[in-house]
């Protein structure tokens, strides 16, 4: 059995006690490597760049469910709108409007997660809790019938401090529960919490993650970080 199937089998065991899915983050790896994972039964793949995801979509079997996990620019939405399964990192009304427009053109509803900023680090991406609350209350948001917000995504601080990571994941779970109780809109159904990566998936699972995004723990270390 090859290295990738062994790792996938390990995650199958890890996930057994939880109701969480494994998104295999395959960014930077060539399509042949993804095919190995696919042949071992993996159907959910995560990519962070539009062009790379489109290329791999063309190369690989069509039953793969493609998750875009990285920052998405509005001018690139059109390339993935026909096939993307879930967009994890939505962080503005402007981006949502563009996704809605392209989804409509493709006669589909595109599932999205709002990326919420939970880490104690500087980042350009993600929304604060209050920005997300305001977005749900925005009248223009309610009219977006070709998107569905299915949950929230968050990245914990890159630290060895397990307590800090845990409390950041807890804060996202708590916010999700609050929003579930408050927001009743036809384009919102908060069922997913996308949290946990190779270094912190165990904590994320314990704190209620429904999707872990794991790259290097499946495919090995990437040659370059992005
Ligand atoms: C690369 C990436 C991951 C996976 O990271 P690993 O540490 O390799 O598991 C998860 N989420 C996002 C948003 C990423 O960009």
């Amino acid at each position: 059995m090859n290295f990738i199937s062994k790792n996938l089998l390990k995650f199958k065991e890890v996930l057994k006690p939880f109701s969480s899915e494994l998104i295999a983050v395959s960014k930077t790896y060539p399509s042949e490597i993804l095919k190995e994972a696919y042949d071992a039964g993996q159907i959910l793949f995560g990519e962070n760049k539009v062009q790379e995801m489109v290329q791999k979509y063309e190369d690989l079997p069509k039953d793969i469910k493609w998750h875009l996990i990285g920052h998405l620019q509005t001018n690139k939405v059109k390339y993935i709108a026909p096939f993307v399964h879930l967009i994890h990192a939505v962080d503005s009304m402007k981006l949502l409007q563009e996704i809605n427009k392209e989804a409509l053109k493709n006669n589909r509803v595109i599932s999205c997660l709002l990326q919420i900023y939970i880490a104690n680090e500087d980042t350009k991406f993600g929304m604060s809790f209050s920005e997300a609350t305001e977005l749900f209350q925005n009248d223009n948001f309610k009219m977006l019938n070709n998107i569905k917000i299915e949950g929230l995504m968050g990245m914990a601080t890159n630290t060895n401090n397990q307590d800090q990571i845990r409390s950041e994941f807890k804060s996202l779970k708590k916010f999700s529960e609050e929003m579930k109780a408050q927001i009743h809109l036809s384009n919102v159904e908060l069922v997913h919490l996308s949290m946990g990566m190779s270094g912190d998936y165990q904590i994320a699972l314990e704190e209620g993650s429904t999707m872990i995004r794991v790259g290097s723990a499946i495919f090995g270390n990437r040659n370059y970080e992005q």
Side-chain angles (χ1 to χ4, degrees):
M1 195 190 288
N2 71 30
F3 166 75
I4 291 172
S5 351
K6 259 189 212 148
N7 290 336
L8 288 171
L9 214 59
K10 180 194 122 181
F11 274 97
K12 217 173 193 168
E13 288 304 310
V14 167
L15 287 172
K16 253 186 195 153
F18 302 97
S19 45
S20 183
E21 297 177 307
L22 173 67
I23 314 299
V25 176
S26 45
K27 63 189 184 196
T28 79
Y29 282 93
S31 295
E32 300 79 71
I33 299 288
L34 279 71
K35 184 66 167 47
E36 283 185 28
Y38 175 83
D39 289 338
Q42 183 66 27
I43 296 290
L44 314 178
F45 288 87
E47 290 285 334
N48 70 337
K49 295 208 163 133
V50 165
Q51 213 173 343
E52 192 174 339
M53 190 164 95
V54 169
Q55 182 62 52
K56 289 172 177 175
Y57 166 74
E58 286 169 3
D59 291 346
L60 290 160
K62 294 297 170 281
D63 60 336
I64 288 177
K65 293 179 174 168
W66 293 99
H67 291 240
L68 190 79
I69 60 169
H71 179 69
L72 175 59
Q73 290 171 285
T74 48
N75 62 350
K76 295 198 173 156
V77 173
K78 57 178 177 284
Y79 302 115
I80 58 165
F83 69 90
V84 68
H85 183 70
L86 181 64
I87 301 175
H88 285 236
V90 174
D91 61 0
S92 74
M93 185 62 189
K94 184 171 149 241
L95 179 57
L96 269 179
Q97 285 170 321
E98 180 66 15
I99 297 169
N100 190 74
K101 189 181 98 192
E102 294 297 327
L104 185 60
K105 276 191 200 163
N106 286 278
N107 195 23
R108 61 185 298 235
V109 173
I110 296 182
S111 301
C112 300
L113 307 179
L114 292 186
Q115 181 175 2
I116 307 292
Y117 176 73
I118 53 172
N120 186 18
E121 278 169 349
D122 265 348
T123 166
K124 292 177 288 198
F125 305 126
M127 314 177 89
S128 65
F129 292 136
S130 63
E131 285 167 337
T133 308
E134 279 165 27
L135 184 131
F136 287 132
Q137 291 163 349
N138 184 323
D139 285 334
N140 293 322
F141 172 77
K142 294 167 190 158
M143 299 184 318
L144 303 176
N145 294 318
N146 288 76
I147 54 106
K148 184 142 199 197
I149 304 293
E150 294 191 348
L152 308 174
M153 181 269 226
M155 289 168 86
T157 304
N158 186 7
T159 172
N160 290 325
N161 184 339
Q162 311 274 300
D163 292 339
Q164 183 179 349
I165 294 170
R166 188 176 296 281
S167 90
E168 290 172 357
F169 287 147
K170 260 192 210 307
S171 74
L172 190 62
K173 169 78 176 175
K174 179 165 172 277
F175 180 67
S176 172
E177 293 305 317
E178 287 167 10
M179 288 299 105
K180 267 192 226 179
Q182 284 174 34
I183 308 294
H184 303 284
L185 296 170
S186 58
N187 58 358
V188 179
E189 191 180 359
L190 300 177
V191 289
H192 284 298
L193 275 180
S194 168
M195 50 188 206
M197 312 183 8
S198 293
D200 57 17
Y201 64 81
Q202 189 62 43
I203 303 174
L205 289 168
E206 288 162 14
E207 298 306 329
S209 170
T210 71
M211 288 179 174
I212 56 173
R213 309 177 312 273
V214 179
S216 44
I218 298 170
F219 297 105
N221 286 326
R222 290 178 291 275
N223 288 333
Y224 57 101
E225 274 304 325
Q226 348 195 13

